[in-house]
Each structure stands twice: as C-alpha cells, then as structure tokens.
Amino acid sequence: MFEIILKETKDFLRDRSNVFFFLIFPVLLVFLLGNLLSNLDKAEEAIGEVKIHYMVEAENVVDIMTIEGFVSEVSDEQNIFFDKTTDLEASKDNVENGNIASIVVFTGNPLEIQIYEGIDRIKNRTINSIINGFSQVNKAVNVIIKSNPMSIMDSMNSKASNDVFIKQKDLGIQRTMLDYYAITMISMLSFMCIMLGTMCFMGERQNNTIYRLKIAPINQVKLFLAKILGLLPQVVLQMTILMTVSVLVFGAKYSSNMFDNLYLFFMFLVVTFTVILIGAVIGLFVKKNPSVITFPIIWVMMFLSGTYSKEVFIDGVTQKMPIYQIQEAAFDLVIFGRYDRVNTVIIICSSISLIMLIIGAIGFSRRGEQ
Amino acid sequence: MPYIIVDNLVKKYGELTAVDHISFTVEKGEIFGLLGPNGAGKSTTLNVITTLTDFDKGEVIIDGMDIRRDKSSIKQLIGMVPQDIAIYDHLNAFENVKFFASLYGLRGNKLIQNSKEALEFVGLSDKMKLQPKKMSGGMKRRLNIACGIAHNPQLIVMDEPTVGVDTQSREHILNSIKLLRDRGATVIYTSHYMQEVEEICDRIAIIDKGKMIACGTEPELVSMVTDVMSVYVETKIPIGFDRDAFCRKIKLMPGIKGIKLEDSVIRVDISIDQNSIERIIQEVINYELPINNIKSEVPNLDTLFLTLTGRELR
C-alpha cells in the first residue's frame, strides 16, 4: 500500500500541469480575488467615533452576563463606545440629534435585540455588523428599528432590508474579502479534487497500467483504497500550501486559535477525501472522460454557493448546495469558534465516504477490463 | 500434466463471440505462440489466462489450479507484458519496474535487486534514471517487458511485445524471450508476425475469428500444407488495373489455393500435384503485365494460414 501511495505522490508532483492546476492556481486565485475584491469592500470614508447607548431589559442572568461581557469586549478606547442607559426616550432624542449613533436594547427571553438606528449609514452598518456577530453567537433575534424616518418608511414598505440583513453572509468583525476567499478557495480546491478522483482510474486506463494492477496478486479492495489514499498526501500538500501562503504572504486570517485552524484543516481533508472517492467511483463506471460530466456540475455548484463571489446568494437554491453548507461550517468555526456544523459536515462526509468506498471497492474488484 | 490447460474456452462480448470453443495445452518451459490476424481472439484468450477477464464457458487450469477457484494463487505465477505499453510516464525506468514488482510482494533488497536485474535483462541497465517520455519506442517496449518479469514469474504472457519496434530492439526482445524460456519460464506469446512466431515458438496455435484452426509445432503445421507451393511473380501492376477480375480468373484455374496481389508481386499458392505455373504465367502475359522475375517457395505458416482461411495473416 505504501508503494502505491509513494507512486501516486511522485506521479502527481512530477506532472507540471498538476503542480500548476492544484498548487499554484488556487494560491493565485486567493491573491487575485482577495486583493482585487477587497478594494470593493474598503470604506470610502472614515467611520469616526461610534457612540452607542445600550439598555439591558433582559431578565435572564446568563443573558445579562453575556451582554455585559460582549459590551466590555467590543468597546475599545479608539472609536467604539458603549454607554449604558436607563432612559430610552432621552437616548432616542440623542440619536435623532446625532449625538449618538444608535441605541441597542437587549430585551426578552429568548433574547431579542432592538436597534434604534441613527442617520449615519456607515455607523449603522458598523453597529449592525457588531450586533449581528453577537446575535449569531447567542442566537438572539435581531429587530432593527430605524429612528431615521426615511429608513422607517423603507422598512415598512420593503421586507427586503430585514431579509438581506438576516440572510447576508457576514464576514464577521474585522474580516476582509481576502479572509473570505481564503476559505472559499480551500473549498474550491477540495471540490476540484473530484478531478483527481475521476482521473485516478482513468489515468491508469490511459497508461494501460490498469491491466498490470488488475492482474497483480493484491486484494482489489486494498488496491482501490490505496489508490485513493495515495491521493491524500497531494491534498494535504495543496491545502497546507494554500493556507500557509494565504496567511504568510497575503495576510489572510483563518481562526486566531491554532486548534480551530487544525480542525478546519481536518474538516476540509475529510471533505476532499469524500469528493475524491465520489470522483473515483464515477471514474470507475464512466469510462469516457468523466471530468466532462463532473466538472461543469462542480463549477455551477461553486458559483451558486458563493465560492467566487460572496454576493451570489439565490434564496432557496444556495442553501441547498453542499459546498455552501461546508463553507458556512468553515465560517462558523473560524469566525465564531462553533463546532456544530463542522462536526455535522465531518459526520456526513465520513458516511458518504464509507458508502463510496464500499461501492468503489466492489465495483473495482468485480469489473473486468476489455 | 500440461502446465496450462485451456479447454473449450468461450468468451462473448454481447453478440460477438470473441473466443469460440478454443482448446490447447502448454507444457512447462515452453514458448507457446498464438498466431492470428488482428481481432482473431488472441488478446481475449490471454486476458482470460491472466485473470483479467472472466469467461462464459470452458475451463482454464494453470499449474494444476482452476483459474476460477484459485485466482489469487495463479496471479502470483503470472507476469504480463501487455500489447500496449503499460508504464508510468513520470516515473523513471527503475521506479516503474520497482513499483510493479512490489505489487507481487517483493520488498527491500530483493525488490531492488530484481528490478535492476530485469532492466539489465532487457538492456536498459544504463537507462535506469531515464523517464519513459525520453525513451525511444523500442526502449519503452523493453521497459514494458522488464515491468512484467521483474518478479520472476513462472508464466510470462506476452501480447505482441514487438509491435512498432525497430529491428535491433526486436532482435533483443526475441532473444530475451528465448533466454526467459531457458531460465525455466513458460511463455505464451502472441503475434501476427509469422516470422517471429516461427523463430521463437516451440509450438504454435493459429486462431482466426475466435476459433482455433490449427495447433502444433512449426513442422507439424507446415506438413498440413505440404502439397502446396507458393509462386511469386515479380511485376508492376499499373494504376487502374482490374485486380478483382484478374484474381477471379486465376482462382478458376485448377489447384489454386490462394492469391495475393501487391504492387510489384503476385503471389499464388497452388497444389503441387496440379502444377498451374504455366497457365498463371500465360494469364499474366494476357493481362499485359511485365514479368521481371519468377520464383517458387516451400510452404510456411503464412501459406498455411492462407490455405486454411483464404485470407492473409496481416
């Protein structure tokens, strides 16, 4: 088995087209997408001081402690100032006069957040972003109440503003497009590995070496598994290069926590293994260039999942894309440190892998070559 | 007991019967040739023997083991040299041989030693570090052989190993095969080159359209057509010459077994007891074809094939 894994690695690394396609291309994409598009995300004007009044009406002790902890953590001495208030009406006057940016009221059980927005669009967006982060962590319900009369009219006339706010994929606090693409490019790399899977046996067929493998006195199930495992060192190498280069060279951020980064790496490794297995099974049964079938499907799925642009979100379609779910799980981990979705991805992928392994091994051992 | 027994082998691909009730035996230490034109069923027969393809009917016994029951034990005995070159372009010669030998359980020094010996055997010991993409066609063919023999198999199955190689490499390959036989290996060799099969095979089976039409040593096979001789008329056939009409006319003559027209040679196989040479020459003259030379030849496998099937081997 070791010999097969070694052979696969050598075969891969000595093929220049592979090196470009799987190692250099994703890194270039992170660089290009991250740098070019991050300019679109840059503020055109300074945010300045953001003064926020907050009011705690929540009664649950845990909620209160969470709110106070959050406020104290988010408040900094540079431009974000949270001041506690007990007089909502007086604070509303301050919002209308532009003395403060907005009022945030934490109320209800389960926790609900009401934001009384001011007239400054940029500051409103900043506050929304901060509170959105908090609400995602604590699963609170956001209710935006605009103090700006025009905004109130907009809110009343259009349901879209709330929808957009709730459904928009947030980059999290202090995160850039580069960070977004660093994650989606790993995801892209993972799914592009379907080509490795489909080519795995097709390559042997093209080289005619499949005959030698099939008549060799080794267990065919073991051989199938070894062929697949032989692709993993390449995947580990690709992802390591992608993550390292995007962090060290381009300054992308994953999680601040090393364990979470390793866990993210592990999740993508499991995903890639599954994708390779699916590709290998397809390649086993579709003998004439299976990439022609698989690649367009993957590219469309990646497009619909917002892999190439975070602005792509088609309600009812995007959420159904496995790639989107995997990306969301990754964002959940690196932004909020949550493991639930990542664990779900790992479990589902492991189950699919097991099924594919069984189908592939049986198919490979029973299928004759003509 | 013969080393290999193939009994009433049938292999179908849908409606096509690729191998149709073929039976033969191969003795240990023998080079057994399967001769036939393209699509005759040679490769399919080999694929069955090498366990690559399942079969529909019949029985295949190798070294006393049934191929269906003892597949893995039989695999251990076999070394395969496929018709198409089966090597990895990005591994060098030594790595290729070593990898395929490792599939047969060879490890450590034994693996390295055997791989080097196999390359030396095919005359590539000085090209160990060379990648196949930088090799000539003949060198690739030799590497293809080395990959099939490095694990010292008892049975070596070679499917047209000399296709597309230069004369020098062909000679090297044929000598290597004889050497393998001398070392004790049993070789099954397929080709559609009659001369090769005549040169190296101890016994020959002739296959056509999935059926075996003759089997034996070369003298035994040729003796089947001792009443036939080949007449070659060297000429120049002009463009627009009605070949079909000419062939039909010749075939109507008594004792004609077969006729073949090339650009400058007319070959006619005729019964010795009904010598029609004069009439053939007369017909050539009637058709106003120039006669540059005339010669006759004793029968060979090509004559046999033409006699039995009415077609040429190639």
Side-chain angles (χ1 to χ4, degrees), chain A residues 128-187:
Chain A
N128 280 339
S129 183
I130 295 168
I131 298 303
N132 193 28
F134 174 79
S135 65
Q136 285 204 40
V137 174
N138 295 282
K139 301 201 183 301
V141 177
N142 288 6
V143 177
I144 303 175
I145 298 170
K146 318 274 184 183
S147 58
N148 180 351
M150 288 308 291
S151 299
I152 291 170
M153 289 301 290
D154 286 347
S155 298
M156 287 169 72
N157 292 336
S158 165
K159 195 172 165 285
S161 62
N162 269 347
D163 285 350
V164 170
F165 174 72
I166 291 164
K167 287 172 185 166
Q168 187 183 31
K169 187 189 294 146
D170 190 57
L171 292 177
I173 302 160
Q174 292 176 344
R175 296 190 73 82
T176 64
M177 281 288 197
L178 186 64
D179 306 331
Y180 178 80
Y181 284 112
I183 293 283
T184 59
M185 285 305 106
I186 298 183
S187 164

Side-chain angles (χ1 to χ4, degrees), chain A residues 191 296-307 321-324:
Chain A
F191 279 85
I297 296 172
I298 292 290
W299 281 94
V300 169
M301 282 170 73
M302 287 196 286
F303 174 77
L304 292 174
S305 303
T307 305
M321 295 290 130
I323 303 175
Y324 174 80

Side-chain angles (χ1 to χ4, degrees), chain B residues 19-34:
Chain B
V19 177
D20 192 0
H21 294 92
I22 280 183
S23 299
F24 61 85
T25 59
V26 181
E27 297 299 326
K28 195 166 175 62
E30 184 176 48
I31 301 179
F32 185 80
L34 284 176

Side-chain angles (χ1 to χ4, degrees), chain A residues 14 204 208 212 214-215, chain B residues 75 80 86 88 90 95 144:
Chain A
R14 288 178 188 175
E204 298 287 357
N208 302 308
R212 291 198 194 277
K214 294 281 284 184
I215 65 164
Chain B
K75 280 181 169 185
M80 169 80 164
Y88 296 105
H90 296 108
E95 287 167 340
N144 197 35

Side-chain angles (χ1 to χ4, degrees), chain A residues 339-353:
Chain A
Y339 293 89
D340 297 0
R341 293 174 89 167
V342 172
N343 289 337
T344 308
V345 167
I346 290 171
I347 290 167
I348 291 173
C349 284
S350 303
S351 308
I352 296 172
S353 294

Side-chain angles (χ1 to χ4, degrees), chain A residues 39-246:
Chain A
N39 289 333
L40 299 177
D41 213 31
K42 276 182 182 167
E44 289 171 357
E45 52 189 297
I47 296 173
E49 284 188 349
V50 182
K51 290 180 181 173
I52 306 158
H53 280 186
Y54 75 99
M55 196 169 170
V56 182
E57 291 181 351
E59 291 171 0
N60 187 317
V61 179
V62 177
D63 283 346
I64 295 168
M65 286 173 67
T66 309
I67 293 160
E68 294 298 347
F70 166 72
V71 166
S72 118
E73 197 170 303
V74 172
S75 294
D76 57 33
E77 292 177 1
Q78 289 173 340
N79 65 342
I80 295 175
F81 303 96
F82 270 96
D83 289 319
K84 200 167 188 173
T85 179
T86 51
D87 186 349
L88 185 60
E89 291 308 315
S91 294
K92 277 182 184 174
D93 290 340
N94 281 327
V95 169
E96 279 181 18
N97 297 333
N99 295 332
I100 60 170
S102 66
I103 312 161
V104 180
V105 180
F106 299 92
T107 183
N109 188 12
L111 188 59
E112 183 179 300
I113 304 169
Q114 296 174 349
I115 305 172
Y116 294 84
E117 286 188 336
I119 52 174
D120 190 320
R121 184 177 58 87
I122 302 293
K123 287 180 181 174
N124 288 342
R125 199 169 168 194
T126 308
I127 294 160
N128 280 339
S129 183
I130 295 168
I131 298 303
N132 193 28
F134 174 79
S135 65
Q136 285 204 40
V137 174
N138 295 282
K139 301 201 183 301
V141 177
N142 288 6
V143 177
I144 303 175
I145 298 170
K146 318 274 184 183
S147 58
N148 180 351
M150 288 308 291
S151 299
I152 291 170
M153 289 301 290
D154 286 347
S155 298
M156 287 169 72
N157 292 336
S158 165
K159 195 172 165 285
S161 62
N162 269 347
D163 285 350
V164 170
F165 174 72
I166 291 164
K167 287 172 185 166
Q168 187 183 31
K169 187 189 294 146
D170 190 57
L171 292 177
I173 302 160
Q174 292 176 344
R175 296 190 73 82
T176 64
M177 281 288 197
L178 186 64
D179 306 331
Y180 178 80
Y181 284 112
I183 293 283
T184 59
M185 285 305 106
I186 298 183
S187 164
M188 187 187 82
L189 192 70
S190 284
F191 279 85
M192 268 169 44
C193 283
I194 197 159
M195 201 166 85
L196 284 180
T198 54
M199 289 301 294
C200 169
F201 290 101
M202 201 183 138
E204 298 287 357
R205 230 172 256 132
Q206 282 173 345
N207 283 333
N208 302 308
T209 42
I210 190 89
Y211 302 113
R212 291 198 194 277
L213 295 180
K214 294 281 284 184
I215 65 164
I218 58 172
N219 185 304
Q220 298 291 292
V221 176
K222 200 172 154 186
L223 181 62
F224 180 80
L225 184 62
K227 280 283 296 171
I228 304 297
L229 287 176
L231 299 173
L232 277 189
Q234 304 159 32
V235 175
V236 170
L237 185 67
Q238 287 164 35
M239 290 207 299
T240 307
I241 289 175
L242 183 61
M243 287 181 86
T244 312
V245 171
S246 57

Side-chain angles (χ1 to χ4, degrees), chain B residues 63-195:
Chain B
D63 201 16
M65 294 178 283
D66 189 309
I67 204 163
R68 278 189 163 137
R69 281 201 304 270
D70 306 304
K71 201 180 248 189
S72 53
S73 304
I74 287 174
K75 280 181 169 185
Q76 197 72 46
L77 304 174
I78 298 174
M80 169 80 164
V81 180
Q83 184 176 354
D84 299 309
I85 293 170
I87 47 182
Y88 296 105
D89 279 340
H90 296 108
L91 301 186
N92 64 36
F94 179 70
E95 287 167 340
N96 262 296
V97 177
K98 191 167 149 243
F99 171 71
F100 289 115
S102 75
L103 297 177
Y104 289 79
L106 267 63
R107 294 285 178 270
N109 286 338
K110 174 85 176 155
L111 177 63
I112 293 168
Q113 190 63 29
N114 276 30
S115 305
K116 283 181 179 170
E117 277 176 13
L119 283 168
E120 201 171 334
F121 185 77
V122 296
L124 290 177
S125 54
D126 56 337
K127 309 283 184 202
M128 279 194 204
K129 300 286 177 192
L130 199 64
Q131 289 190 353
K133 57 188 170 190
K134 292 173 187 164
M135 289 180 175
S136 68
M139 283 161 76
K140 282 184 189 175
R141 282 274 162 205
R142 285 190 265 160
L143 177 58
N144 197 35
I145 294 174
C147 290
I149 61 169
H151 58 286
N152 288 336
Q154 290 181 32
L155 171 61
I156 301 165
V157 177
M158 296 181 147
D159 193 0
E160 309 208 16
T162 58
V163 171
V165 301
D166 56 276
T167 315
Q168 196 184 351
S169 284
R170 176 173 299 191
E171 278 308 306
H172 193 115
I173 290 168
L174 296 181
N175 288 334
S176 304
I177 293 166
K178 283 190 260 186
L179 205 56
L180 285 168
R181 185 256 323 267
D182 296 343
R183 285 179 175 186
T186 305
V187 180
I188 299 184
Y189 184 91
T190 79
S191 178
H192 58 256
Y193 294 124
M194 182 199 65
Q195 295 89 340

